[in-house]
Each structure stands twice: as C-alpha cells, then as structure tokens.
Amino acid sequence: MSPPLRTTRRAFTLLLGAALLGGGAACELSGTGGRGIVFRMGLRTALAPGETRPGQFTTDTGWRVTLSSARMVLGPIYLFENPSPLQPSPTGRWWRRMGEVLAPTAHAHDSFFSGGRVLGEWDREVVFELLADGGATRVLGRSPGIAGVARSFSLLLQPPSRALGAEAASLEGHSVLLEGSASREGRTVPFRLALDFPPLVELQRVEFVPTEVELDDDGLFVVELQPHRWFEGALFERLEVPASGAAVAVPPDSQVHRALLVNVRRHTAFSAAWEPGLGP
C-alpha cells in the first residue's frame, strides 16, 4: 500500500494555480460565462450576536471574554464555485456524495478539486489585527477572478514567513496570538494564548466555508473572522491564575488551548460577505 499523500504548501499553491488557469480556459471555450473580472478582497472581524465591539462576547460555557489584543497570519484565500459539502442543504449533501464517489480516498480533497472551479483568489499571506480600527474592514487589494456565484471558500493558517518581514514581529513567530481576560461568577482569568499550525497543509487549512455571493467587477469580498466561535467549549476554570495575578500563558496541553486549536480550523470560524461595487 502506498503511503498517505502529504501536501506541502508549495504543492498546494501550484495545484490551486493550475485549477484557476484550467477553469478560466474551460469557460472561455464554452462561450457561456467565464468573463474575467477584478474585484477587491478584504478582512473584517465579525461582531458576536448582541455585541457592539469586536473581541467581546460571552461563550457557550458562560465566560465573558474581552480580547485586548488579537492578531494572526492567514492566506492564501480561494473562492470556489461548488457549495460546501458541510453545508446543511440538499445541494451540499449531493456534492459531498459525488465527491465520495469520484474520489473515495482519505485524501480526496488534497487539491481542492471537489470545490470545482476557482473563481477568485488572494495568493498571499497577511498579518491581520482583529481589533484594529474598531473592527472596520481592511481592504487587502485587488484580485483577479471569474464572474459567477462563489458558494464556498477556503484559506490557510500558517506561521509567519520571512516575506512578511517586520510586519510579523508582533506575532513572535506564532500563527495566532490572543490576549485578554475571561470572567465568570466573580472570577477573572487573564490569559495569553498562542496557536501554532504544523507545516503540513492538512493541518493548516480551513476548507469548505459556506458562502453565496455573485462575484463581479469592483465588488468587495470580505472574509469575516468569528472569534466568538473560536472559544466554544473553552473551560477557563481549568486554568490556574498565578498568585501575582499575571496573565496565564495558556499551555498547549490545556483544555482551553486544545479547544481553540480545533475551533479556529472549523468552517464555522469564518464567514463571508459581498459588497457590490459602485459602478462607473
């Protein structure tokens, strides 16, 4: 039996680039759709339900969390024509069954071909400050694409690379760095939590995030980070606060760290929105 396929970041990028070029060529030959467009890509921190400030929320375990600092590295980002197989809809379930029939291996999604054509991309990584400017949208820049309905997207979470230079210094080599406090029933746990994702793409990517947007020229596709979902199930009562009251450096073997490491890679950790262009 051959060993399991391991996808490197370089192989991942090459495969996605080939899919984008192949999808565009197929469209041009078909004569139906396939119009090349240029749109903008952006990032934004979503507000938790009922909240007015980013980074403030109450978890499902009853802890009131206030983030004082939050930054991460993310990207590249890819937009696909097929719906997410994780989406609770008949269409999503149909695509999942088709994927199992056509590629029934444990690593069937290594090249993202089950996502169909790549309709757009942001092919770089970026350091994002989740609390900057009160949660305002950060426009990354203009991106090439193909006109059509994007029904899912995927992104990578990874350690900062040398290409980011001084911009990544505040992350201290980590993929995600969060600081803040969690309070419940008169107890407050100040914390500092760092997440690191191993170099295998399988352990870095967030895939099949559902969306439903019609891409067109000059519009803005915004990836929305959902930090209130990252803390689902986190049991801060299991962390011991130093007698000095200093922030707890959340250890990797703790329940809180494990919960965040899993949740940040779930398809529910992100969402998307589309803002049409203003036109000529």
Side-chain angles (χ1 to χ4, degrees), residues 217-233:
D217 276 316
D218 298 324
L220 174 63
F221 184 88
V222 185
V223 174
E224 297 181 319
L225 289 71
Q226 307 272 345
H228 58 285
R229 294 187 176 275
W230 303 355
F231 287 81
E232 290 178 352

Side-chain angles (χ1 to χ4, degrees), residues 5-17 73-78 110-112 122-127 155-164 175 197-205:
L5 178 62
R6 298 292 186 182
T7 309
T8 65
R9 181 183 166 195
R10 177 175 174 77
F12 173 85
T13 304
L14 290 173
L15 286 167
L16 265 295
V73 181
L74 72 162
I77 303 166
Y78 297 98
D110 279 347
S111 64
F112 278 103
W122 179 261
D123 63 358
R124 282 154 279 174
E125 58 187 336
V126 60
V127 175
L155 56 88
L156 286 183
L157 307 174
Q158 53 192 306
S161 70
R162 287 190 213 171
L164 291 170
S175 302
F197 300 99
L200 293 177
V201 169
E202 291 90 339
L203 301 177
Q204 294 178 334
R205 69 192 182 201

Side-chain angles (χ1 to χ4, degrees), residues 64-274:
R64 179 66 178 172
V65 172
T66 299
L67 296 176
S68 57
S69 176
R71 57 186 69 93
M72 68 186 302
V73 181
L74 72 162
I77 303 166
Y78 297 98
L79 283 55
F80 298 98
E81 67 173 350
N82 287 350
S84 168
L86 304 175
Q87 197 166 355
S89 68
T91 305
R93 289 193 295 271
W94 184 87
W95 277 109
R96 185 170 191 171
R97 288 196 297 271
M98 285 297 294
E100 291 169 351
V101 171
L102 296 175
T105 65
H107 43 267
H109 299 147
D110 279 347
S111 64
F112 278 103
F113 290 153
S114 60
R117 288 185 305 162
V118 180
L119 298 182
E121 64 173 348
W122 179 261
D123 63 358
R124 282 154 279 174
E125 58 187 336
V126 60
V127 175
F128 182 56
E129 300 273 353
L130 278 71
L131 308 181
D133 301 321
T137 301
R138 175 183 170 184
V139 178
L140 301 178
R142 300 176 74 79
S143 197
I146 300 170
V149 178
R151 295 183 174 87
S152 62
F153 69 95
S154 301
L155 56 88
L156 286 183
L157 307 174
Q158 53 192 306
S161 70
R162 287 190 213 171
L164 291 170
E167 184 184 5
S170 62
L171 279 158
E172 302 173 16
H174 299 294
S175 302
V176 181
L177 193 57
L178 306 172
E179 297 180 50
S181 63
S183 302
R184 188 181 74 176
E185 299 174 354
R187 184 188 179 200
T188 297
V189 180
F191 65 86
R192 189 175 191 271
L193 188 148
L195 298 179
D196 299 291
F197 300 99
L200 293 177
V201 169
E202 291 90 339
L203 301 177
Q204 294 178 334
R205 69 192 182 201
V206 181
E207 56 185 345
F208 304 130
V209 183
T211 189
E212 186 80 17
V213 301
E214 186 164 355
L215 303 177
D216 208 343
D217 276 316
D218 298 324
L220 174 63
F221 184 88
V222 185
V223 174
E224 297 181 319
L225 289 71
Q226 307 272 345
H228 58 285
R229 294 187 176 275
W230 303 355
F231 287 81
E232 290 178 352
L235 303 175
F236 284 95
E237 63 268 27
R238 298 189 182 180
L239 297 177
E240 186 174 346
V241 180
S244 64
V248 179
V250 180
D253 61 351
S254 67
Q255 189 275 342
V256 172
H257 190 281
R258 290 194 299 269
L260 268 289
L261 193 63
V262 170
N263 289 339
V264 171
R265 287 181 293 169
R266 293 186 187 277
H267 70 284
T268 54
F270 301 86
S271 60
W274 176 257

